[in-house]
Amino acid sequence: QSALTQPASVSGSPGQSITISCTGTSSDVGRYNYVSWYQQHPGKAPKLIIYDVNNRPSGVSHRFSGSKSGNTASLTISGLQAEDEADYHCSSYTSGSTRYVFGSGTKVIVL
Amino acid sequence: QGQLVQSGAQVKKPGASVEVSCKASGYTFTSYYIHWVRQAPGQGLEWMGIINPRGGGTSYTQKFQGRVTMTGDTSTSTVYMELSSLRSEDTAVYYCVYAHSGSYFLEVWGQGTTVTVSS
């Protein structure tokens, strides 16, 4: 069972915006501004798309944005495109021996 | 941006050990930590531990303590992850990932190594 809670799937039509939630606790998401998001296409390794809640690495589309409120972080994909169909994993830094916790992943379906 | 290239898929019997290698290139090996993350079939990601190639210091999540060993070789810019006493639940894709020592995110991922544990 994953430490962070994500919806199993989110769907949207091309051009629409969708938001994926990631709920943790006051020990991880709520305590640190170290939430990151990873995109994973089938059979591929994850790719960093958001770090430190709302920062995009160089080369990542501006259509991806992140935010956080309390114990819940969110990833928004605007102007949804067919290539955005993938699994999205959230992660948070946490205290203790397990430094990083992940969500179970959300499958984004482009209708 | 650097690159991490991992060793190939392996099949192991329960109780055996497996070693996965991860060779770094395109960046200063000792300036970035290497994390190991695994993903069981159809499941989410699971953080296993971290090694600082400069000095070899490690930290493992409690779940794997006593079963996992991470080592590094600065002469070849390669890190290794050994997992012992394998059981079927260890069947997964294992990823190495580098991250700057001052960051809290996993920056560049290796391609992954499939480890299958089966009798």
Side-chain angles (χ1 to χ4, degrees), chain A residues 28-61:
Chain A
D28 38 64
V29 175
R31 181 172 182 179
Y32 302 100
N33 287 325
Y34 297 136
V35 175
S36 51
W37 290 88
Y38 304 87
Q39 178 192 59
Q40 185 178 32
H41 286 105
K44 301 294 187 182
K47 172 191 172 186
L48 176 70
I49 57 171
I50 294 287
Y51 66 94
D52 295 350
V53 176
N54 57 10
N55 292 280
R56 276 183 310 274
S58 175
V60 172
S61 172

Side-chain angles (χ1 to χ4, degrees), chain A residues 2 89 102-105, chain B residues 38-40 42-46:
Chain A
S2 300
H89 305 271
F102 289 93
S104 52
Chain B
R38 76 177 188 179
Q39 185 174 33
Q43 303 299 310
L45 302 167
E46 180 177 30

Side-chain angles (χ1 to χ4, degrees), chain B residues 13-29:
Chain B
K13 293 191 182 302
S17 297
V18 68
E19 183 178 81
V20 179
S21 68
C22 170
K23 183 173 177 59
S25 63
Y27 71 96
T28 302
F29 180 63

Side-chain angles (χ1 to χ4, degrees), chain B residues 29-48:
Chain B
F29 180 63
T30 52
S31 293
Y32 290 77
Y33 293 165
I34 297 287
H35 300 250
W36 288 90
V37 176
R38 76 177 188 179
Q39 185 174 33
Q43 303 299 310
L45 302 167
E46 180 177 30
W47 188 82
M48 299 178 67

